[in-house]
Amino acid sequence: MPEGDTVYRTARRLNTALAGATVTRFELRVPQAATVDLTGDVVHDVVARGKHLLHRIGPWTLHTHLKMEGEWHVYRRGERWRAPGFRARAVIGARAADGTEWETVGFDLADIKVVPTTAEDELVGHLGPDPLSATWDPATAAQNLAADPRAVHVALQDQRNVAGFGNEYVNEILFVRGVLPTTPANETDAAAMIDLGSRMIRANRDRADRTFTGDTRPGRTDWVYRREGRACRRCGTLIRGGSLGADPTRERIVFWCPSCQR
């Protein structure tokens, strides 16, 4: 599933094309919203909230989630789509103030809804603080994490505690902090964990290629994520792997160094 930095970059790219533009085409190819038409309305902005995308158009908000496969593309009108049309779930055409015609297409999207902008909190109000938001509140995020008795690998991915961290971030945060994934979150230094995670995701926010080690070369960007059975970059011990989740239906792959994480 895309991490918060990926969603942030997607929102920024969409906002650059659409903010201030007038909608000329609006199609939602899902039964629950197929009749909604915002043609003629002005796009105020497109923002990310954790892993959620919000298009604010006229008095409405289009909410989408990328889940595992979703993506938004930005085209000049008339350009050939880089994915097959049957995968398109949303198509927004817009004319910018300078006359440029844009077409943004959402492929394989999930959780598509249109609500009054005044009701956005019904969709994203449950989310915890977002480290890529202008209103980032690290103290509340740390407080949420410190109050969670579940395994820290699970607690850090709970978007109600802090919004934006996915599985890759959590595995890497725990390695750098030297914490076993199974450690109860309320037994860790939650403030330090949140501080590290926020610095990581902000450092990657503007990078085309995410890295946790500082090395952007292929195969060298992660400390432990997807490196089971390979030598730890720090101590040489073989990285272990497994799965962990809030329940059996929500397990995620987990990786750790048994020497560096105790």
Side-chain angles (χ1 to χ4, degrees), residues 3 145 148-159 161-162 165-175 179-186 188 193 224-226 241-247 250-256 261:
E3 310 266 355
L145 187 64
D148 197 325
R150 296 174 299 172
V152 67
H153 182 268
V154 173
L156 270 172
Q157 289 191 77
D158 190 328
Q159 302 298 294
N161 288 335
V162 56
F165 296 145
N167 201 28
E168 185 176 8
Y169 268 96
V170 170
N171 277 283
E172 296 296 294
I173 290 168
L174 295 178
F175 172 80
V179 176
L180 275 174
T182 51
T183 305
N186 59 1
T188 68
M193 201 86 67
V224 293
Y225 186 68
R226 293 191 180 277
S243 59
L244 195 61
D247 59 57
R250 290 182 286 172
E251 289 190 343
R252 299 289 185 269
I253 51 178
V254 59
F255 306 92
W256 71 97
Q261 294 169 259

Side-chain angles (χ1 to χ4, degrees), residues 31 44 56 67-68 82 84 93 139 174 191 194 209 222 230 241 244 250:
H44 302 299
R56 293 167 178 153
K67 293 292 184 181
M68 292 294 292
R82 298 186 302 276
L174 295 178
I194 292 297
D209 299 306
D222 293 282
R230 300 165 71 179
L244 195 61
R250 290 182 286 172

Side-chain angles (χ1 to χ4, degrees), residues 47 62 96 147 176 201 221 223 226 230:
V47 299
L62 165 64
V176 174
I201 201 168
T221 58
W223 292 104
R226 293 191 180 277
R230 300 165 71 179

Side-chain angles (χ1 to χ4, degrees), residues 96-255:
D98 64 2
T100 305
E101 297 277 356
W102 297 100
E103 191 167 59
T104 61
V105 187
F107 296 97
D108 299 324
L109 302 174
D111 297 342
I112 300 173
K113 297 181 180 69
V114 178
V115 300
T117 298
T118 55
E120 269 184 11
D121 273 359
E122 295 177 10
L123 303 177
V124 296
H126 66 287
L127 297 174
D130 180 350
L132 297 182
S133 167
T135 58
W136 168 232
D137 182 356
T140 296
Q143 185 177 41
N144 292 344
L145 187 64
D148 197 325
R150 296 174 299 172
V152 67
H153 182 268
V154 173
L156 270 172
Q157 289 191 77
D158 190 328
Q159 302 298 294
R160 296 169 298 181
N161 288 335
V162 56
F165 296 145
N167 201 28
E168 185 176 8
Y169 268 96
V170 170
N171 277 283
E172 296 296 294
I173 290 168
L174 295 178
F175 172 80
V176 174
R177 285 295 305 164
V179 176
L180 275 174
T182 51
T183 305
N186 59 1
E187 295 179 12
T188 68
D189 186 338
M193 201 86 67
I194 292 297
D195 177 67
L196 173 64
S198 66
R199 286 188 286 113
M200 281 182 170
I201 201 168
R202 289 182 175 188
N204 281 317
R205 178 184 59 189
D206 300 321
R207 287 186 176 126
D209 299 306
R210 180 186 300 143
T211 181
F212 297 95
T213 62
D215 192 334
T216 58
R217 288 176 292 177
R220 295 176 178 268
T221 58
D222 293 282
W223 292 104
V224 293
Y225 186 68
R226 293 191 180 277
R227 298 193 68 246
E228 181 179 5
R230 300 165 71 179
C232 174
R233 300 188 193 279
R234 184 179 288 167
C235 73
T237 303
L238 295 185
I239 300 298
R240 294 183 183 176
S243 59
L244 195 61
D247 59 57
T249 68
R250 290 182 286 172
E251 289 190 343
R252 299 289 185 269
I253 51 178
V254 59
F255 306 92

